[in-house]
Amino acid sequence: MKKVQLTETVLRDANQSLMATRLPYADYEGILSDMDKAGYYSVECWGGATFDSCLRYLNEDPWERLRGLRKNLPNTRLQMLLRGQNLLGYKHYHDDVVEKFIELSIKNGIDVIRIFDALNDFRNIETALNATKKYAKEKTIASGCISYTQSPVHTVDKYIEMCKELKTMGFDTICLKDMAGTMSPYEAEHLIKGIKDAIGDMTLILHTHCTTGMAYMTITKAIESGIDVIDTAASCFSGGTSQPSTETMFYALQQYGIETGLNEDIINKVNDYFKPVKQKYIDNGQLNPKSLATDAQALVYKVPGGMLSNMIANLTDMHAMDKFDAALAEIPKVRADLGYPPLVTPLSQMVGNQAVTNVLIGERYKNISKEVKNYIKGEYGIAPAPIDPELSKKVLGDAEPVDCRVEDQKRTGEDFAAAKEALGDLCRCEEDLMSYICYPDQTLKFLKDRKAQEENEAVYTIEEM
Ligand code: CO
């Protein structure tokens, strides 16, 4: 019997795409033991923006969250999304930091590490891959991930070459990450047939979003073309900028006689659990119904869900929502100027912010963000196509672009030494150090709060006795 497995994304990508990753662990702990019996290929639950959000907004230790997930989902593959050399941050880290991060992620419970580079510059995912192999446990899977986008330089042949390269590098599975939901059924068919021919029986995964309304058609074509795993979200957290619905795909696949391994009662129970959770965030405004709509304009703008909800949030904060359409229209122009980078973190934020800046100031590139300057200098890797020469000259002057790997390969331990010194006795474990290296300000505040809270609790306990 033909088999297609499902990865449940409600805890990570659906949460990230629909409500800017503000779902606290406490809101879903109660359903985890049921989710463990659902029969998913994996549960995507960590990485992406969850780490940042835990420290910045939720006053949660992301590592503790991971250990909680591990404890309550003992039989399920726990999956994370990792931005290659950027880990879960927005800049390149040194190789020794990347290695330690992977070691700790596996130690604390991660099974599947889906690794991508925003530019598909695979030199930027090699260190993470090698570390995953080095610290791998029995169930560990290193998944090589391609950031899918369309541009004059992103052809089917180019994607097939990329997949061959990921296979040669030693990845266990390959994922096509269509973060903007712009992959059409036609493209999925040609792409997936071509890739399957090239990589043989290696597991191929499709990750897409409903943003443009094409996802169900695209997934159906992907299934007909030989896809092995698809990403879906519990139906009440599906659609819009999120993934297609788990129960819907289960129902459709069942009629085709395709086995999913899912337990129907449990996936329904999971969805029932999340209904009031969703309602709570609609009521308090953290889940903007705009994220739930279909927006075919994204076919032009190639904007991923998370980027759209962030842009709405930022422009609302600045009372500049009237500039939303103009900012959206500026995005593809900025993207072309920068050599058609796929719009995925951190490039999506960089391109998005630059587009907003260009529109708000009313003059293009009058202000260029530090990140965009660094990108043009070559610090993020090689752009898919040449950068606009005028813009390049404006940033580089007469200087030559740099090779990002030269800096990344330094293994001086300096990041760990600096973190130790900054944290002093606030630091209790390597995980604290790693949080600080990734998000220094947020982590310092979090650890200070933790200490203060514990001292208060200690006083309280003594008085009570
Ligand atoms: Co996604």
Side-chain angles (χ1 to χ4, degrees):
M1 198 184 202
K2 196 178 162 186
K3 192 168 188 178
V4 173
Q5 288 184 284
L6 279 71
T7 288
E8 173 59 55
T9 67
V10 64
L11 305 183
R12 205 287 298 178
D13 203 356
N15 166 19
Q16 184 169 330
S17 298
L18 294 181
M19 47 178 290
T21 336
R22 300 294 203 276
L23 207 56
Y25 176 74
D27 272 8
Y28 57 73
E29 187 181 26
I31 193 65
L32 295 179
S33 59
D34 285 306
M35 287 180 81
D36 197 38
K37 299 179 213 118
Y40 305 120
Y41 170 79
S42 62
V43 168
E44 195 199 41
C45 55
W46 209 66
T50 61
F51 198 93
D52 184 6
S53 180
C54 274
L55 292 164
R56 195 184 296 264
Y57 303 110
L58 301 172
N59 196 31
E60 266 187 55
D61 182 342
W63 302 99
E64 203 176 304
R65 173 185 283 205
L66 175 54
R67 288 189 292 272
L69 286 157
R70 179 72 285 164
K71 191 172 143 241
N72 289 297
L73 292 157
N75 304 303
T76 303
R77 289 193 192 103
L78 300 188
Q79 182 172 313
M80 75 174 291
L81 181 66
L82 188 91
R83 302 169 191 147
Q85 206 70 25
N86 293 341
L87 296 176
L88 304 179
Y90 304 96
K91 60 162 198 173
H92 275 230
Y93 296 98
H94 291 129
D95 283 355
D96 52 356
V97 172
V98 173
E99 282 165 13
K100 181 55 88 178
F101 192 93
I102 302 262
E103 181 190 345
L104 293 176
S105 300
I106 294 173
K107 186 183 146 200
N108 283 280
I110 283 295
D111 298 306
V112 184
I113 308 188
R114 182 181 281 176
I115 310 167
F116 75 95
D117 175 65
L119 298 173
N120 294 317
D121 182 341
F122 293 157
R123 298 171 309 157
N124 291 332
I125 59 175
E126 209 173 353
T127 305
L129 166 67
N130 293 339
T132 305
K133 293 282 172 189
K134 183 176 172 188
Y135 296 105
K137 293 183 183 172
E138 202 185 327
K139 283 203 289 180
T140 305
I141 292 175
S143 188
C145 184
I146 290 171
S147 309
Y148 179 78
T149 189
Q150 293 102 335
S151 86
V153 297
H154 289 91
T155 59
V156 169
D157 285 343
K158 170 131 182 179
Y159 284 118
I160 291 172
E161 282 314 307
M162 286 184 199
C163 289
K164 284 186 187 162
E165 199 182 333
L166 291 175
K167 187 177 181 178
T168 307
M169 285 170 80
F171 280 101
D172 303 307
T173 65
I174 293 177
C175 172
L176 293 171
K177 178 180 165 63
D178 176 25
M179 54 278 171
T182 57
M183 187 190 292
S184 69
Y186 177 87
E187 286 165 330
E189 181 179 4
H190 289 85
L191 201 55
I192 289 162
K193 280 183 179 163
I195 292 169
K196 281 305 253 184
D197 280 346
I199 63 168
D201 59 3
M202 198 174 173
T203 298
L204 186 64
I205 302 154
L206 178 62
H207 173 89
T208 185
H209 288 253
C210 295
T211 321
T212 68
M214 271 194 306
Y216 288 98
M217 293 184 281
T218 302
I219 284 196
T220 305
K221 266 292 170 212
I223 290 164
E224 288 172 8
S225 309
I227 204 78
D228 300 292
V229 178
I230 54 173
D231 287 7
T232 59
S235 61
C236 68
F237 267 87
S238 73
T241 55
S242 176
Q243 271 75 52
S245 137
T246 305
E247 304 98 276
T248 310
M249 286 315 302
F250 168 79
Y251 184 87
L253 285 164
Q254 211 181 21
Q255 288 198 335
Y256 273 111
I258 296 173
E259 192 192 331
T260 59
L262 289 177
N263 180 317
E264 187 176 4
D265 292 338
I266 304 234
I267 58 172
N268 286 326
K269 191 173 176 188
V270 170
N271 187 52
D272 286 342
Y273 178 92
F274 279 104
K275 282 179 193 167
V277 176
K278 173 192 180 182
Q279 193 55 47
K280 182 167 88 176
Y281 291 102
I282 287 186
D283 291 346
N284 78 6
Q286 280 193 324
L287 203 165
N288 188 329
K290 205 164 181 164
S291 307
L292 290 166
T294 300
D295 183 2
Q297 281 189 315
L299 293 172
V300 179
Y301 304 126
K302 318 289 185 213
V303 180
M307 178 175 172
L308 206 61
S309 62
N310 264 329
M311 249 175 80
I312 294 169
N314 290 342
L315 285 171
T316 306
D317 281 352
M318 291 187 280
H319 303 287
M321 262 311 273
D322 59 314
K323 298 285 200 304
F324 181 69
D325 288 337
L328 210 51
E330 174 68 4
I331 288 173
K333 294 178 195 157
V334 172
R335 181 167 171 258
D337 293 340
L338 295 179
Y340 299 104
L343 292 183
V344 63
T345 305
L347 262 306
S348 49
Q349 285 80 358
M350 286 155 58
V351 171
N353 292 342
Q354 189 62 52
V356 168
T357 305
N358 286 357
V359 165
L360 288 183
I361 291 182
E363 185 185 331
R364 305 188 78 223
Y365 305 113
K366 190 175 180 194
N367 275 6
I368 303 176
S369 71
K370 191 179 97 213
E371 289 80 11
V372 170
K373 281 183 185 161
N374 291 342
Y375 168 85
I376 293 169
K377 285 178 193 162
E379 289 182 15
Y380 288 84
I382 299 164
I387 293 167
D388 176 67
E390 222 171 281
L391 179 59
S392 189
K393 189 151 179 37
K394 193 169 176 180
V395 171
L396 279 172
D398 294 326
E400 288 289 312
V402 297
D403 179 350
C404 60
R405 288 302 297 152
V406 174
E407 177 61 28
D408 295 348
Q409 277 165 353
K410 290 176 184 163
R411 294 163 194 266
T412 58
E414 62 183 54
D415 306 291
F416 297 100
K420 255 184 207 152
E421 184 167 340
L423 290 181
D425 68 347
L426 288 172
C427 175
R428 294 183 194 158
C429 52
E430 288 184 310
E431 286 81 354
D432 288 345
L433 277 187
M434 191 51 71
S435 298
Y436 181 84
I437 292 169
C438 292
Y439 290 99
D441 299 342
Q442 291 75 21
T443 301
L444 193 62
K445 185 180 176 301
F446 172 79
L447 295 179
K448 278 182 182 166
D449 287 352
R450 179 175 76 181
K451 196 179 174 197
Q453 197 186 341
E454 282 173 1
E455 281 165 0
N456 280 342
E457 277 168 12
V459 171
Y460 184 70
T461 311
I462 291 164
E463 281 174 354
E464 221 177 29
M465 284 167 81

